[in-house]
Amino acid sequence: MATERFPVEASHIMMFARAVGDPSPVYIDPDSAEAKAAGGVVAPPTFAMASWQFQSEHPLRPSPGKPWFGSGREPTGLTRSGDGGGGGGGGGGGGGGTGLHAEQHFEYHQPMRPGMVLTVTQRAGETWEKQSKRGGTLRFSESITEFRDAETNELVVTARGVGVRTERPVEKEA
């Protein structure tokens, strides 16, 4: 489930911009020419993805005392299920061994600015299949997340993530 409320704070914008290596003053300095031209400090284009930090639980963030698959090559306590479970569509791979995060698109309807509190809703989008050149089926699914200004209910950002899961063909006996 997506975060229900996402407070956009100037310090979070600054840390995010620094973490992605973008030194533009439009993200940090309200007195800069760039920020003045933009009507004030704005969040970087992919900042909406930081909303998961406001979820009480998220599979990509460790929880003290609980096993976590992590982002490394080896798990730090979780085991993968044999059914490929662990994420399933909706724009992410989920670590199940057969899923990948394939695409991410952001449509900005207005700038995301410090002081906004966003409400977040998520819904399933389209699903489709393609045959792999190596054999097997690729199953695509998308997840659509809308970020709205809690005060005005105006749409701020629409994020669309696409996930793909692989299904290998059954080996034929010779």
Side-chain angles (χ1 to χ4, degrees):
M1 181 61 188
T3 306
E4 291 183 21
R5 295 178 66 78
F6 174 33
V8 179
E9 300 173 6
S11 61
H12 292 162
I13 291 173
M14 177 194 69
M15 288 186 284
F16 187 91
R18 288 180 177 170
V20 299
D22 194 331
S24 175
V26 74
Y27 307 131
I28 299 167
D29 183 3
D31 296 323
S32 70
E34 294 86 350
K36 286 180 179 178
V41 169
V42 297
T46 59
F47 183 74
M49 298 311 295
S51 67
W52 67 265
Q53 290 288 347
F54 292 89
Q55 281 181 266
S56 59
E57 292 186 24
H58 191 278
L60 296 178
R61 187 179 68 234
S63 296
K66 292 184 180 178
W68 177 57
F69 193 80
S71 60
R73 183 175 181 165
E74 298 297 324
T76 57
L78 289 184
T79 57
R80 294 181 183 202
S81 62
D83 65 359
T98 61
L100 297 170
H101 179 88
E103 299 177 16
Q104 190 73 47
H105 303 270
F106 298 92
E107 180 180 355
Y108 274 79
H109 308 281
Q110 62 178 293
M112 190 182 296
R113 300 187 182 280
M116 286 181 155
V117 175
L118 304 177
T119 58
V120 184
T121 56
Q122 190 172 31
R123 62 183 165 85
E126 295 182 30
T127 60
W128 64 97
E129 293 182 359
K130 290 184 179 179
Q131 290 303 307
S132 167
K133 291 181 181 179
R134 296 182 184 179
T137 303
L138 302 173
R139 299 183 194 286
F140 295 85
S141 60
E142 70 179 354
S143 173
I144 299 168
T145 306
E146 293 183 337
F147 298 83
R148 293 183 176 272
D149 186 319
E151 189 174 308
T152 65
N153 201 37
E154 291 178 356
L155 195 54
V156 178
V157 180
T158 303
R160 184 176 70 89
V162 178
V164 60
R165 297 189 75 71
T166 59
E167 182 180 290
R168 300 200 186 277
V170 175
E171 296 290 328
K172 296 180 182 176
E173 292 185 27

